[in-house]
Amino acid sequence: MKALFLIFHGFEEGNGISKKIRYQIKALKECGLDVSICYMTEDANGGKKRIVDDKVLIDYGNGIKGKIYKRIEFNSIARYVLENQIKFVYMRCYQNANPFLISMVRKIKKSGAKIVMEIPTYPYDQEYITLPMKAELCIDRCFRKRLAKHLDAIVTFTEYSSIFGAKTICISNGIDFEYIKKKSTINDTSTELHLIGVAEIHYWHGFDRLIKGMVEYYKKDPDYKVYFHVVGDFSGEREKQDILPLIDNNNLNKYVILYGKQHGEKLDDIFDSCDMGIGSLGRHRSGITNIKTLKNREYAARGIPFIYSETDSDFDLQSYVLKEPADESSINIDELIAFYKNKKWNVDEIRDSIKHLSWNEQISKVVNMINL
């Protein structure tokens, strides 16, 4: 059966979202589907093109025209689905519901194809904080329920039974164990502990809570040293101002190491040098209580214990997880050290505990629920 994986942005090497999409497409293929992928590109001159399997579907040009056209022109996608007899469309939500997108979905449905939309994070309204973002969200809020009426289902990483009036398929973010290398050694932590946080850094990751905890910890001039390895770029100025002054004003530059974006062997090496993962510590800031983040799953696949503050039913009761309160308190570093040193950690045991969270198993739930 032919399928189309539809996204409204491009790919970026080493980006977590891009890697996730690649894993999902691989899983769909392993479920027996013949999958094409539709995505956006932008050249050095700002020219925007919609691509299917590395072939140009439509060239939107550059400038204001290109920016507008890519947001309202979806007939090319509908035509591709009809002409190529696509029977299943997996669409990734871009908070871009509008009459033009609804028209595309209706045409696809009329052809007899089935279509689902994945909402990566829900609810998401609180994540739109700038005026331009809020303007985009306003349009989405006007049309998203109408869009949902035409979908076969919404795929969610929550436990909501319906979203925007549409039935949901509840899955977990998954792992492709072929590509996530497990940690190769257990380090000597008798005199120091190395923490790692990997993310495109947003305010809801709450890394500032951990750094504030380190500020309080190092005021005591401790012999036992704690290091925080931050892998990823800052998403905006707000995040920089939340974190960089904390480091600079409290002489933590030696203990908080900022790598920027990393992937491949370099990322593997950083993980090997670290002992414990730092998940999201501020999801409450965006109004989210329940979420199944990719990062929690990657830490477990790497075979390291980790902390987070949201509710994640796949991990809340695991012995290798330290749950933090979902508030603005500083992270207690002494408590974190005690948690790590209280147990001997087994990389293989942690990794094996999430074998059921492979992308193959999660995507097969979607395929089965849609009766493909």
PDB file of all heavy atoms in Angstrom, residues 93-109:
ATOM      1  N   CYS A  93       1.296  17.663  12.470  1.00  0.00           N
ATOM      2  CA  CYS A  93       0.698  18.959  12.766  1.00  0.00           C
ATOM      3  C   CYS A  93       1.754  20.051  12.824  1.00  0.00           C
ATOM      4  O   CYS A  93       2.822  19.881  13.425  1.00  0.00           O
ATOM      5  CB  CYS A  93      -0.046  18.876  14.103  1.00  0.00           C
ATOM      6  SG  CYS A  93      -0.737  20.447  14.656  1.00  0.00           S
ATOM      7  N   TYR A  94       1.448  21.174  12.180  1.00  0.00           N
ATOM      8  CA  TYR A  94       2.325  22.332  12.193  1.00  0.00           C
ATOM      9  C   TYR A  94       1.582  23.557  12.713  1.00  0.00           C
ATOM     10  O   TYR A  94       1.967  24.696  12.458  1.00  0.00           O
ATOM     11  CB  TYR A  94       2.858  22.586  10.771  1.00  0.00           C
ATOM     12  CG  TYR A  94       4.135  23.382  10.703  1.00  0.00           C
ATOM     13  CD1 TYR A  94       5.265  23.000  11.430  1.00  0.00           C
ATOM     14  CD2 TYR A  94       4.229  24.496   9.878  1.00  0.00           C
ATOM     15  CE1 TYR A  94       6.444  23.714  11.351  1.00  0.00           C
ATOM     16  CE2 TYR A  94       5.410  25.221   9.788  1.00  0.00           C
ATOM     17  CZ  TYR A  94       6.512  24.829  10.530  1.00  0.00           C
ATOM     18  OH  TYR A  94       7.684  25.544  10.451  1.00  0.00           O
ATOM     19  N   GLN A  95       0.484  23.306  13.435  1.00  0.00           N
ATOM     20  CA  GLN A  95      -0.371  24.374  13.951  1.00  0.00           C
ATOM     21  C   GLN A  95      -0.752  25.339  12.821  1.00  0.00           C
ATOM     22  O   GLN A  95      -0.735  26.559  12.992  1.00  0.00           O
ATOM     23  CB  GLN A  95       0.307  25.129  15.110  1.00  0.00           C
ATOM     24  CG  GLN A  95       0.505  24.303  16.372  1.00  0.00           C
ATOM     25  CD  GLN A  95       1.691  23.378  16.289  1.00  0.00           C
ATOM     26  OE1 GLN A  95       2.764  23.761  15.860  1.00  0.00           O
ATOM     27  NE2 GLN A  95       1.522  22.128  16.714  1.00  0.00           N
ATOM     28  N   ASN A  96      -1.114  24.779  11.674  1.00  0.00           N
ATOM     29  CA  ASN A  96      -1.381  25.582  10.482  1.00  0.00           C
ATOM     30  C   ASN A  96      -2.756  25.302   9.884  1.00  0.00           C
ATOM     31  O   ASN A  96      -2.947  25.403   8.675  1.00  0.00           O
ATOM     32  CB  ASN A  96      -0.301  25.333   9.428  1.00  0.00           C
ATOM     33  CG  ASN A  96      -0.226  23.881   8.963  1.00  0.00           C
ATOM     34  OD1 ASN A  96      -0.684  22.982   9.661  1.00  0.00           O
ATOM     35  ND2 ASN A  96       0.355  23.657   7.799  1.00  0.00           N
ATOM     36  N   ALA A  97      -3.718  24.971  10.729  1.00  0.00           N
ATOM     37  CA  ALA A  97      -5.081  24.736  10.237  1.00  0.00           C
ATOM     38  C   ALA A  97      -5.622  26.006   9.591  1.00  0.00           C
ATOM     39  O   ALA A  97      -5.539  27.090  10.166  1.00  0.00           O
ATOM     40  CB  ALA A  97      -5.985  24.290  11.379  1.00  0.00           C
ATOM     41  N   ASN A  98      -6.142  25.870   8.383  1.00  0.00           N
ATOM     42  CA  ASN A  98      -6.770  26.988   7.677  1.00  0.00           C
ATOM     43  C   ASN A  98      -7.679  26.413   6.595  1.00  0.00           C
ATOM     44  O   ASN A  98      -7.668  25.201   6.356  1.00  0.00           O
ATOM     45  CB  ASN A  98      -5.711  27.946   7.098  1.00  0.00           C
ATOM     46  CG  ASN A  98      -4.812  27.289   6.067  1.00  0.00           C
ATOM     47  OD1 ASN A  98      -5.258  26.521   5.229  1.00  0.00           O
ATOM     48  ND2 ASN A  98      -3.510  27.597   6.118  1.00  0.00           N
ATOM     49  N   PRO A  99      -8.484  27.219   5.929  1.00  0.00           N
ATOM     50  CA  PRO A  99      -9.419  26.680   4.932  1.00  0.00           C
ATOM     51  C   PRO A  99      -8.727  25.937   3.796  1.00  0.00           C
ATOM     52  O   PRO A  99      -9.286  24.980   3.242  1.00  0.00           O
ATOM     53  CB  PRO A  99     -10.135  27.931   4.413  1.00  0.00           C
ATOM     54  CG  PRO A  99     -10.036  28.917   5.532  1.00  0.00           C
ATOM     55  CD  PRO A  99      -8.702  28.668   6.155  1.00  0.00           C
ATOM     56  N   PHE A 100      -7.519  26.337   3.434  1.00  0.00           N
ATOM     57  CA  PHE A 100      -6.806  25.709   2.324  1.00  0.00           C
ATOM     58  C   PHE A 100      -6.345  24.296   2.706  1.00  0.00           C
ATOM     59  O   PHE A 100      -6.403  23.368   1.906  1.00  0.00           O
ATOM     60  CB  PHE A 100      -5.615  26.574   1.914  1.00  0.00           C
ATOM     61  CG  PHE A 100      -5.998  27.994   1.599  1.00  0.00           C
ATOM     62  CD1 PHE A 100      -5.837  28.996   2.548  1.00  0.00           C
ATOM     63  CD2 PHE A 100      -6.543  28.328   0.367  1.00  0.00           C
ATOM     64  CE1 PHE A 100      -6.194  30.303   2.265  1.00  0.00           C
ATOM     65  CE2 PHE A 100      -6.907  29.634   0.084  1.00  0.00           C
ATOM     66  CZ  PHE A 100      -6.735  30.619   1.036  1.00  0.00           C
ATOM     67  N   LEU A 101      -5.877  24.155   3.941  1.00  0.00           N
ATOM     68  CA  LEU A 101      -5.463  22.835   4.417  1.00  0.00           C
ATOM     69  C   LEU A 101      -6.677  21.917   4.556  1.00  0.00           C
ATOM     70  O   LEU A 101      -6.624  20.733   4.215  1.00  0.00           O
ATOM     71  CB  LEU A 101      -4.736  22.958   5.751  1.00  0.00           C
ATOM     72  CG  LEU A 101      -4.126  21.659   6.296  1.00  0.00           C
ATOM     73  CD1 LEU A 101      -3.040  21.139   5.368  1.00  0.00           C
ATOM     74  CD2 LEU A 101      -3.555  21.885   7.693  1.00  0.00           C
ATOM     75  N   ILE A 102      -7.778  22.458   5.049  1.00  0.00           N
ATOM     76  CA  ILE A 102      -9.010  21.671   5.181  1.00  0.00           C
ATOM     77  C   ILE A 102      -9.470  21.185   3.813  1.00  0.00           C
ATOM     78  O   ILE A 102      -9.876  20.027   3.640  1.00  0.00           O
ATOM     79  CB  ILE A 102     -10.103  22.504   5.870  1.00  0.00           C
ATOM     80  CG1 ILE A 102      -9.725  22.781   7.324  1.00  0.00           C
ATOM     81  CG2 ILE A 102     -11.458  21.782   5.793  1.00  0.00           C
ATOM     82  CD1 ILE A 102     -10.613  23.803   8.007  1.00  0.00           C
ATOM     83  N   SER A 103      -9.398  22.052   2.800  1.00  0.00           N
ATOM     84  CA  SER A 103      -9.775  21.672   1.445  1.00  0.00           C
ATOM     85  C   SER A 103      -8.915  20.515   0.947  1.00  0.00           C
ATOM     86  O   SER A 103      -9.418  19.567   0.327  1.00  0.00           O
ATOM     87  CB  SER A 103      -9.651  22.874   0.507  1.00  0.00           C
ATOM     88  OG  SER A 103      -9.928  22.510  -0.823  1.00  0.00           O
ATOM     89  N   MET A 104      -7.612  20.565   1.223  1.00  0.00           N
ATOM     90  CA  MET A 104      -6.721  19.478   0.825  1.00  0.00           C
ATOM     91  C   MET A 104      -7.124  18.160   1.472  1.00  0.00           C
ATOM     92  O   MET A 104      -7.204  17.108   0.809  1.00  0.00           O
ATOM     93  CB  MET A 104      -5.280  19.813   1.208  1.00  0.00           C
ATOM     94  CG  MET A 104      -4.274  18.740   0.827  1.00  0.00           C
ATOM     95  SD  MET A 104      -2.740  18.819   1.804  1.00  0.00           S
ATOM     96  CE  MET A 104      -3.302  18.063   3.358  1.00  0.00           C
ATOM     97  N   VAL A 105      -7.384  18.205   2.782  1.00  0.00           N
ATOM     98  CA  VAL A 105      -7.754  16.985   3.507  1.00  0.00           C
ATOM     99  C   VAL A 105      -9.061  16.414   2.960  1.00  0.00           C
ATOM    100  O   VAL A 105      -9.197  15.195   2.788  1.00  0.00           O
ATOM    101  CB  VAL A 105      -7.860  17.273   5.016  1.00  0.00           C
ATOM    102  CG1 VAL A 105      -8.462  16.087   5.759  1.00  0.00           C
ATOM    103  CG2 VAL A 105      -6.490  17.619   5.589  1.00  0.00           C
ATOM    104  N   ARG A 106     -10.012  17.268   2.658  1.00  0.00           N
ATOM    105  CA  ARG A 106     -11.294  16.801   2.112  1.00  0.00           C
ATOM    106  C   ARG A 106     -11.099  16.115   0.760  1.00  0.00           C
ATOM    107  O   ARG A 106     -11.714  15.082   0.484  1.00  0.00           O
ATOM    108  CB  ARG A 106     -12.263  17.973   1.980  1.00  0.00           C
ATOM    109  CG  ARG A 106     -12.734  18.527   3.315  1.00  0.00           C
ATOM    110  CD  ARG A 106     -13.660  19.712   3.136  1.00  0.00           C
ATOM    111  NE  ARG A 106     -14.906  19.323   2.491  1.00  0.00           N
ATOM    112  CZ  ARG A 106     -15.881  20.183   2.185  1.00  0.00           C
ATOM    113  NH1 ARG A 106     -15.729  21.472   2.445  1.00  0.00           N
ATOM    114  NH2 ARG A 106     -16.980  19.754   1.615  1.00  0.00           N
ATOM    115  N   LYS A 107     -10.236  16.665  -0.081  1.00  0.00           N
ATOM    116  CA  LYS A 107      -9.972  16.042  -1.388  1.00  0.00           C
ATOM    117  C   LYS A 107      -9.303  14.683  -1.225  1.00  0.00           C
ATOM    118  O   LYS A 107      -9.628  13.725  -1.947  1.00  0.00           O
ATOM    119  CB  LYS A 107      -9.093  16.967  -2.240  1.00  0.00           C
ATOM    120  CG  LYS A 107      -9.809  18.214  -2.730  1.00  0.00           C
ATOM    121  CD  LYS A 107      -8.851  19.155  -3.467  1.00  0.00           C
ATOM    122  CE  LYS A 107      -9.582  20.424  -3.906  1.00  0.00           C
ATOM    123  NZ  LYS A 107      -8.654  21.389  -4.564  1.00  0.00           N
ATOM    124  N   ILE A 108      -8.381  14.607  -0.283  1.00  0.00           N
ATOM    125  CA  ILE A 108      -7.707  13.337  -0.030  1.00  0.00           C
ATOM    126  C   ILE A 108      -8.701  12.292   0.470  1.00  0.00           C
ATOM    127  O   ILE A 108      -8.701  11.142   0.028  1.00  0.00           O
ATOM    128  CB  ILE A 108      -6.552  13.536   0.967  1.00  0.00           C
ATOM    129  CG1 ILE A 108      -5.416  14.322   0.301  1.00  0.00           C
ATOM    130  CG2 ILE A 108      -6.042  12.202   1.511  1.00  0.00           C
ATOM    131  CD1 ILE A 108      -4.294  14.728   1.240  1.00  0.00           C
ATOM    132  N   LYS A 109      -9.559  12.695   1.398  1.00  0.00           N
ATOM    133  CA  LYS A 109     -10.562  11.775   1.932  1.00  0.00           C
ATOM    134  C   LYS A 109     -11.537  11.331   0.838  1.00  0.00           C
ATOM    135  O   LYS A 109     -11.948  10.173   0.780  1.00  0.00           O
ATOM    136  CB  LYS A 109     -11.326  12.450   3.076  1.00  0.00           C
ATOM    137  CG  LYS A 109     -10.530  12.603   4.352  1.00  0.00           C
ATOM    138  CD  LYS A 109     -10.370  11.267   5.077  1.00  0.00           C
ATOM    139  CE  LYS A 109     -11.722  10.789   5.610  1.00  0.00           C
ATOM    140  NZ  LYS A 109     -11.603   9.480   6.258  1.00  0.00           N
TER     141      LYS A 109
END
